[in-house]
Amino acid sequence: EDYSAHFGLKKHVQFLTRVDAVKPVHVHGGVKWKVTTSKVTDPDKQNTEQFDGVIVSNGRYSVPYVPTIPGTDQFQGRILHSHDYRVPEPFRGRNVLIIGAFPSGIDVCVEISAEARRVVISHSNPPNMELRRLPPNVGQAARVEDIMGPNIVRFQDGQEFQADDIVYCTGY
């Protein structure tokens, strides 16, 4: 919101608006775009405008990727994807496994560690990947091999972690 306010972008955004059609229009040897929209609150009333260009942002990256891990169906703790993560307080005093160490995984890990008892971040390259300045209650582990029983997670190197919660930070 700060970005859009700083650059005055909100005046160009139509909220609660559905795009019904986008069609090219040939004008003076060039191409313009005829865009027909309708308000979600009044779908029968359409509006058509012409634009020099169109950007399609259809949410390709809106469906979280959750890898298949044997035994997940036996896990009795909370499982969520970083897509659904909002605040760290629900993890207060808990043992949390973060799967994935790209930027979102590290960000979520650090936030949750302020509330959690212990956090383990599982990724492809421990200990080769240097994750700097992790809080003292954060450890690193190899990739998850499987989940054994109600809350034991086993890593590919044979180590285990008793997790209350699993947060997938595995992209889209």
Side-chain angles (χ1 to χ4, degrees):
E1 289 185 34
D2 291 341
Y3 181 89
S4 63
H6 177 77
F7 291 101
L9 300 177
K10 279 192 177 178
K11 64 184 175 190
H12 301 291
V13 177
Q14 295 179 31
F15 295 100
L16 298 172
T17 302
R18 182 180 74 199
V19 176
D20 298 313
V22 177
K23 295 182 181 180
V25 178
H26 299 282
V27 179
H28 307 296
V31 176
K32 301 249 183 203
W33 296 92
K34 184 169 84 172
V35 178
T36 303
T37 61
S38 59
K39 291 289 184 188
V40 172
T41 55
D42 189 9
D44 294 331
K45 183 179 177 187
Q46 291 188 319
N47 182 43
T48 301
E49 297 178 81
Q50 191 166 294
F51 296 94
D52 295 326
V54 173
I55 297 173
V56 177
S57 301
N58 61 0
R60 176 175 175 223
Y61 296 109
S62 64
V63 178
Y65 168 69
V66 177
T68 301
I69 297 174
T72 302
D73 58 328
Q74 298 175 35
F75 187 72
Q76 293 182 4
R78 178 178 32 208
I79 297 176
L80 70 141
H81 191 277
S82 59
H83 175 86
D84 300 308
Y85 169 80
R86 297 294 178 264
V87 294
E89 288 78 15
F91 301 95
R92 184 171 290 132
R94 299 175 68 85
N95 291 324
V96 182
L97 173 65
I98 306 290
I99 300 177
F102 284 114
S104 67
I106 294 168
D107 290 347
V108 170
C109 173
V110 170
E111 279 191 22
I112 287 177
S113 71
E115 298 290 338
R117 184 162 59 101
R118 176 121 174 90
V119 179
V120 170
I121 185 164
S122 167
H123 57 92
S124 302
N125 297 315
N128 298 331
M129 185 173 169
E130 286 189 37
L131 300 178
R132 298 176 192 263
R133 291 186 243 144
L134 290 175
N137 64 333
V138 174
Q140 296 184 57
R143 284 185 173 201
V144 174
E145 178 73 24
D146 59 5
I147 296 172
M148 305 172 356
N151 65 345
I152 302 295
V153 178
R154 183 173 49 190
F155 303 101
Q156 289 180 344
D157 63 3
Q159 293 189 51
E160 296 177 358
F161 178 61
Q162 186 169 338
D164 298 311
D165 305 296
I166 298 174
V167 181
Y168 288 96
C169 298
T170 47
Y172 296 87

